[in-house]
Amino acid sequence: MKSIGVLTSGGDAPGMNAAIRSVVRSCIYNGVKVYGIYYGYQGLIEGNIEEMNIGSVGDIIQKGGTVLYSSRSDEFKTLEGQKKAIKQLQKHHIDGLVVIGGDGTFRGAQKLTEQGYPCIGVPGTIDNDIPGTDFTIGFDTALNTVIQAVDKIRDTATSHERIYAIEVMGRDAGDLALWAGLAGGAESILIPETDTSFEGVIEKIRRGHERGKRHSIIMVAEGVGSAVDYANKIQEELQVSTRVTVLGHTQRGGSPTANDRVLASRLGAFAVNTLMDGHKGRMVGIENNHLVHHDIIDILQKEHKIDHSLLELSNQLSI
Ligand code: F6P
């Protein structure tokens, strides 16, 4: 393997820059040429490719977003688009690719691997919804962003004796809402992986109110629906004042936490080593603090599972 390309694709996540830095520097350390591919698979199709050096990734470890930019390419989903991408890889003499992103990114990596281009996936998404790794790059930072917001909302909720429904991202996964709910002391956590009865939510608010609680925080994962709808239903049922905060894309930005930087640095370097060892169509991850790699096909077929014990604990602590 003489030359490796790196790209970021799909929704950006804090820590992607630390991963790019790690890939680029690990290649250079190992005497391998490294190319940055801009705007994900779309940029690959269009030949938006540049050789990187040590300085190309200087001063980015602390930055949110991705210096390689990102896109969601419909063209790359077609065979014609994939052929164009392969032509570009051949033109630049790129022997293998490291792709940083979520499941859509890995689907693309699998297509290229099947067509003879070895690819390694690095899980980068705030959703933490990828099987085969305990954590994805960006999740810890997004979680801390949510928690900062929850703490602030709690102040004003207490002052005005209000019930707040806070909607967090995660697409179809509830990890962000679950972890934020536990860390933020939410009364109820609504996530797509489990059925939480609306009556149960109401009952908890009622009980809290009876013992003099001045506020309630209901954490709503976007995958279960709109926090506005839940807040309206609660208001109707209890005849109390509710408010809604939809945190939106604030959760995707910001300087990565130390945990995300360390995770990204470890996974980026490990992806390069995995590629150099001759593997292809694999996703690197971290399990029980050990670096691992799994077949991307298996990863795409498996369902991400939440840690139900966290939900039980949250219920236990928010009685
Ligand atoms: O996958 C990351 C994510 O932020 C999800 O949590 C969210 O559902 C989606 O991307 C939003 O996508 P977009 O940036 O296209 O609005």
Side-chain angles (χ1 to χ4, degrees):
M1 181 111 352
K2 293 201 177 92
S3 149
I4 288 175
V6 56
L7 62 79
T8 49
S9 156
D12 63 349
M16 277 186 165
N17 282 328
I20 295 166
R21 172 180 178 270
S22 176
V23 170
V24 169
R25 297 249 167 113
S26 300
C27 283
I28 294 169
Y29 178 82
N30 286 297
V32 173
K33 269 192 173 189
V34 58
Y35 288 87
I37 299 159
Y38 291 86
Y39 294 101
Y41 292 116
Q42 192 56 40
L44 178 56
I45 289 172
E46 290 163 12
N48 201 340
I49 300 170
E50 203 175 70
E51 190 175 346
M52 313 276 278
N53 55 44
I54 298 176
S56 319
V57 290
D59 198 25
I60 66 166
I61 195 167
Q62 79 285 14
K63 288 186 177 146
T66 157
V67 293
L68 290 177
Y69 310 123
S70 191
S71 68
R72 292 191 168 108
S73 171
D74 285 332
E75 191 179 358
F76 186 74
K77 289 184 189 143
T78 67
L79 190 59
E80 206 186 313
Q82 290 155 21
K83 280 188 179 152
K84 281 190 198 165
I86 286 174
K87 270 202 181 137
Q88 291 292 348
L89 289 166
Q90 285 167 338
K91 189 173 140 193
H92 289 84
H93 306 288
I94 295 172
D95 304 319
L97 268 187
V98 175
V99 300
I100 307 165
D103 53 356
T105 307
F106 300 152
R107 241 170 254 123
Q110 184 53 31
K111 290 281 175 218
L112 289 179
T113 302
E114 281 164 13
Q115 289 169 56
Y117 265 93
C119 291
I120 301 291
V122 175
T125 162
I126 63 163
D127 300 338
N128 206 42
D129 60 346
I130 309 288
T133 187
D134 293 342
F135 296 105
T136 57
I137 297 165
F139 174 66
D140 187 61
T141 307
L143 176 59
N144 279 285
T145 302
V146 175
I147 285 306
Q148 281 175 20
V150 171
D151 290 350
K152 287 175 183 162
I153 288 166
R154 185 188 280 276
D155 290 345
T156 175
T158 305
S159 304
H160 290 270
E161 284 196 55
R162 276 175 181 155
I163 295 163
Y164 262 87
I166 303 176
E167 184 179 311
V168 302
M169 278 188 168
R171 206 182 290 272
D172 301 320
D175 281 58
L176 208 43
L178 174 58
W179 284 66
L182 182 58
E187 271 60 43
S188 295
I189 301 173
L190 305 173
I191 54 174
E193 289 87 350
T194 176
D195 275 337
T196 306
S197 83
F198 182 66
E199 290 69 34
V201 173
I202 294 292
E203 192 41 44
K204 258 192 186 171
I205 298 173
R206 241 191 219 124
R207 273 207 312 266
H209 196 72
E210 276 163 19
R211 59 168 220 274
K213 227 169 167 236
R214 296 190 58 85
H215 66 260
S216 281
I217 305 276
I218 317 297
M219 200 60 73
V220 183
E222 64 173 345
V224 295
S226 153
V228 174
D229 293 345
Y230 279 104
N232 286 342
K233 271 170 74 180
I234 293 169
Q235 190 154 321
E236 244 169 59
E237 183 75 28
L238 292 172
Q239 297 300 308
V240 289
S241 183
T242 61
R243 290 290 186 275
V244 178
T245 301
V246 179
L247 292 175
H249 287 79
T250 56
Q251 296 160 96
R252 284 248 294 267
S255 178
T257 57
N259 269 334
D260 269 332
R261 296 182 203 190
V262 171
L263 178 64
S265 301
R266 291 178 77 184
L267 292 181
F270 188 54
V272 171
N273 289 343
T274 306
L275 206 46
M276 286 174 53
D277 284 347
H279 296 286
K280 54 188 170 185
R282 313 285 294 177
M283 183 201 80
V284 294
I286 192 154
E287 288 178 327
N288 300 320
N289 204 23
H290 285 107
L291 294 170
V292 293
H293 55 81
H294 298 284
D295 197 326
I296 286 183
I297 298 177
D298 290 344
I299 296 299
L300 292 173
Q301 281 168 355
K302 270 193 194 143
E303 202 186 319
H304 165 69
K305 293 205 166 56
I306 57 146
D307 183 346
H308 283 276
S309 73
L310 296 183
L311 190 60
E312 282 156 26
L313 180 60
S314 169
N315 285 332
Q316 183 179 314
L317 302 182
S318 63
I319 35 173

